[in-house]
Amino acid sequence: MHLWTKSAALFVVLSLVVADVSSQELTYENEEPPSVTDLIDAREVFEYEVRYGFFTLGWVDVELLPDTTYAGEKAYHMRTRIRSNRRVPFVGTRIVNYENIFGYNDEHMFSHEFWRDDIHDDEYDRVRIKFDREKEQVHFFEYGEPTDTLDLVEPASGGDIIFYFSRLFAGTEKPYELPVYLENEMGMIKARNSGETEMRSYDAFDDDVEAYYSEGTTDIDGPFGFSGNFKAWFSTDDLRVPLEAHVRVIFGNVRVRLISYERHDTD
């Protein structure tokens, strides 16, 4: 299967409305990790570069779209877009959107529906996952046709919720586990966090950024064949911005680094 058509959970790794905050500005008012509400209210927009050695494989864009509803309840719409570098041999132009309708409560974040659109091939709703909490089941579809059903294990997600979920633990000594449903299977992301910091440099910011370190492992198959061990860095600011990830893929190690960051905070 082509590495760009594998279902996603790049962030681990690996989110818009009133007053702009400079893309160079981080805030340091709280020592504790952010809440889910803090992250949603920030209305962030991210762009990451994916590199293998000296080669840029592509880019990952993450944003939170306008709020929506699901089954009559308020819900949130996260989009993760992966864009290939058309100059890479045998890859060409590929654009894949991963859409996640999710909610949260006092206990955890969770997906309602997760689907993939292969924009470059005009194939929309290529894969869809529905989380049925009444029956405690997860239903998988491909091109609109059912393919499998698994038991639901909370906090069940389509994968990219890790982009928010991991930030709730960054800078602490607390480990976490997150069930992820992809490719008619359930996998698990496990991570360990550290309160130690180091200074790192990113194109998204004018100055060096102080960062927390995290590492973990996963048995899911994500973009580029991502699986196995990973390393990640988060800013020490109030929002624990995901800065960088090193992940193991089918052909070696890939680095994912933040190159653009914006906030559009709600009041």
Side-chain angles (χ1 to χ4, degrees):
M1 183 181 295
H2 196 288
L3 62 114
W4 276 91
T5 64
K6 299 180 76 68
S7 290
L10 185 56
F11 285 23
V12 202
V13 165
L14 251 203
S15 310
L16 290 174
V17 196
V18 184
D20 283 343
V21 175
S22 167
S23 60
Q24 311 302 319
E25 185 176 328
L26 297 174
T27 57
Y28 297 85
E29 297 178 356
N30 302 309
E31 294 184 0
E32 296 298 317
S35 66
V36 179
T37 301
D38 293 333
L39 297 177
I40 289 176
D41 287 348
R43 301 289 168 167
E44 299 158 294
V45 184
F46 305 82
E47 182 181 9
Y48 295 86
E49 182 182 52
V50 182
R51 293 185 63 86
Y52 173 66
F54 296 104
F55 299 98
T56 297
L57 297 180
W59 301 268
V60 178
D61 307 310
V62 183
E63 62 178 330
L64 195 65
L65 301 180
D67 297 344
T68 184
T69 59
Y70 191 89
E73 300 291 333
K74 186 172 184 178
Y76 306 91
H77 186 175
M78 178 183 181
R79 171 177 293 162
T80 303
R81 169 172 288 184
I82 299 180
R83 299 176 285 123
S84 71
N85 183 355
R86 61 183 178 84
R87 294 184 175 86
V88 176
F90 311 112
V91 173
T93 298
R94 296 183 177 272
I95 302 173
V96 179
N97 285 358
Y98 298 96
E99 311 281 356
N100 196 337
I101 305 298
F102 71 94
Y104 71 94
N105 54 31
D106 293 337
E107 296 181 356
H108 49 236
M109 303 174 67
F110 48 87
S111 292
H112 294 300
E113 289 200 26
F114 176 86
W115 70 95
R116 186 182 94 211
D117 295 330
D118 291 354
I119 307 299
H120 58 281
D121 285 334
D122 289 326
E123 291 187 353
Y124 294 84
D125 207 14
R126 171 71 173 75
V127 172
R128 184 173 291 262
I129 304 172
K130 296 184 178 182
F131 298 85
D132 186 341
R133 288 181 167 79
E134 289 188 1
K135 297 182 178 180
E136 297 185 343
Q137 294 180 328
V138 181
H139 305 288
F140 297 85
F141 301 83
E142 189 168 354
Y143 295 112
E145 297 296 325
T147 58
D148 205 351
T149 296
L150 298 178
D151 292 336
L152 185 151
V153 178
E154 294 288 15
S157 80
D160 54 358
I161 276 182
I162 189 65
F163 188 81
Y164 287 117
F165 188 81
S166 59
R167 299 163 72 179
L168 307 179
F169 300 87
T172 73
E173 300 293 336
K174 299 177 182 178
Y176 67 80
E177 297 184 1
L178 181 67
V180 172
Y181 291 83
L182 294 170
E183 299 288 346
N184 299 325
E185 296 180 344
M186 189 196 84
M188 191 72 70
I189 298 174
K190 301 178 181 180
R192 301 170 298 277
N193 299 284
S194 172
E196 297 184 4
T197 66
E198 60 183 282
M199 301 303 295
R200 303 181 70 85
S201 177
Y202 297 95
D203 291 344
F205 305 104
D206 290 336
D207 301 319
D208 288 353
V209 178
E210 188 177 29
Y212 291 120
Y213 174 73
S214 176
E215 62 182 19
T217 187
T218 179
D219 54 2
I220 61 174
D221 287 327
F224 311 101
F226 161 57
S227 188
N229 297 333
F230 63 85
K231 302 176 182 179
W233 288 264
F234 302 82
S235 68
T236 61
D237 80 315
D238 295 345
L239 295 180
R240 304 295 198 263
V241 174
L243 299 170
E244 183 174 354
H246 295 181
V247 300
R248 180 72 181 176
V249 297
I250 55 177
F251 48 82
N253 293 305
V254 163
R255 292 178 295 139
V256 183
R257 289 176 55 88
L258 183 66
I259 60 174
S260 177
Y261 174 70
E262 299 176 6
R263 285 175 55 181
H264 303 270
D265 296 83
T266 59
D267 289 334

